[in-house]
């Protein structure tokens, strides 16, 4: 009788592991890289297209391949993976940047605009040591968040929410109500320093 019991116990453990792995996969957010063909000429991608660096001069526009996907007026870059459902979490390490925007945007937003300026992008902006939400060029202050080293973003597509997360406490600092009508992608803009993205993460417990 001992052998069948041991075998049954082993099978149960394997089943539990599979269920645990499936649950972890369900909590895992999108994995993305930055899309070079969307990057403004002042931006340089690095670390396998997961980071973006601002250059005052940047790349000579005439040396870039003609591409209707590229942002022409503002230092913006989009991710290469669109979201149409689910809950997704990613983090951004901030290096030597005092002015940047992070959020999401419609995949087909105007390449002559900037994220936060039009009504098809939803962002958190950091400038002059202060955080704000930004939509359609309208700003609202965000309290309870200091100078960042790393921040998190939680996207809840069906709930129409984008949240700024304090990664040191794993706590939502501010929720931005959105109005998604189609696919959206992670979006970034910066005017100094570097941003490094971390995607493919599980949504933290409690969020």
């Amino acid at each position: 009788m001992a052998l069948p019991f041991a075998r049954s116990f082993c099978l149960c453990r394997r089943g539990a592991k599979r269920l645990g792995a499936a649950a972890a996969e369900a909590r895992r957010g999108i994995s993305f890289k930055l899309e070079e063909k969307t990057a403004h000429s002042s931006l340089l991608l690095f670390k396998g297209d997961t980071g973006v660096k601002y250059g005052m001069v940047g790349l000579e526009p005439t040396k870039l391949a003609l591409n209707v996907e590229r942002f022409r007026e503002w230092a913006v870059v989009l991710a290469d993976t669109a979201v149409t459902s689910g809950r997704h979490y990613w983090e951004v390490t901030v290096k030597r940047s005092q002015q940047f925007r992070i959020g999401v945007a419609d995949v087909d937003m105007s390449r002559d605009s900037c994220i936060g300026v039009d009504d098809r992008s939803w962002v958190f902006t950091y400038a002059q040591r202060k955080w704000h939400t930004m939509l359609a060029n309208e700003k609202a202050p965000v309290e309870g968040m200091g100078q960042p080293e790393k921040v998190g973003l939680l996207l809840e597509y069906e709930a129409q929410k984008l949240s700024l997360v304090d990664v040191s406490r794993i706590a939502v600092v501010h929720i931005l109500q959105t109005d998604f009508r189609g696919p959206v992608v992670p979006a970034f803009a910066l005017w100094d320093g570097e941003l490094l993205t971390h995607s493919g993460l599980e949504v933290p417990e409690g969020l």
Side-chain angles (χ1 to χ4, degrees):
M1 293 296 292
L3 183 59
F5 176 80
R7 184 177 181 183
S8 176
F9 179 72
C10 183
L11 289 173
C12 286
R13 287 188 62 187
R14 289 176 184 171
K17 285 183 178 180
R18 291 195 192 98
L19 287 173
E25 190 63 30
R27 292 195 303 270
R28 195 174 303 280
I30 59 167
S31 180
F32 63 81
K33 293 186 177 183
L34 304 178
E35 189 78 86
E36 192 280 331
K37 67 181 180 182
T38 68
H40 184 266
S41 61
S42 65
L43 300 179
L44 176 66
L45 304 188
F46 67 98
K47 202 165 185 179
D49 293 346
T50 61
V52 58
K53 180 185 303 184
Y54 178 80
M56 183 66 73
V57 176
L59 300 173
E60 173 57 48
T62 58
K63 294 183 179 180
L64 293 172
L66 291 176
N67 195 330
V68 295
E69 295 295 316
R70 192 176 304 282
F71 281 85
R72 294 176 281 273
E73 302 294 331
W74 298 85
V76 176
V77 62
L78 302 180
D80 63 359
T81 305
V83 174
T84 57
S85 65
R87 302 175 80 239
H88 305 274
Y89 176 77
W90 61 93
E91 294 178 345
V92 181
T93 296
V94 181
K95 295 184 178 181
R96 300 183 299 279
S97 183
Q98 297 296 319
Q99 188 176 5
F100 60 88
R101 298 175 189 176
I102 55 176
V104 296
D106 279 0
V107 294
D108 58 353
M109 74 167 286
S110 171
R111 286 351 187 215
D112 292 317
S113 186
C114 184
I115 57 173
V117 172
D118 66 3
D119 64 352
R120 303 318 308 155
S121 56
W122 301 264
V123 303
F124 294 97
T125 176
Y126 183 80
Q128 299 178 335
R129 299 187 178 183
K130 294 181 180 179
W131 284 95
H132 292 82
T133 62
M134 193 170 183
L135 171 63
N137 220 22
E138 294 289 332
K139 291 183 178 181
V142 172
E143 304 295 340
M145 190 76 159
Q147 184 168 352
E149 293 183 0
K150 181 184 283 188
V151 297
L153 288 178
L154 174 64
L155 170 63
E156 300 174 271
Y157 191 92
E158 286 82 3
Q160 299 274 296
K161 293 178 182 178
L162 180 68
S163 300
L164 182 66
V165 177
D166 182 338
V167 300
S168 65
R169 299 182 291 126
I170 309 298
V172 170
V173 176
H174 193 95
I175 298 174
L176 179 59
Q177 201 64 43
T178 64
D179 178 29
F180 302 143
R181 303 173 192 170
V184 295
V185 290
F188 309 86
L190 74 160
W191 290 271
D192 62 359
E194 305 173 5
L195 300 177
L196 181 62
T197 65
H198 313 275
S199 63
L201 306 176
E202 289 184 17
V203 176
E205 294 287 346
L207 291 187

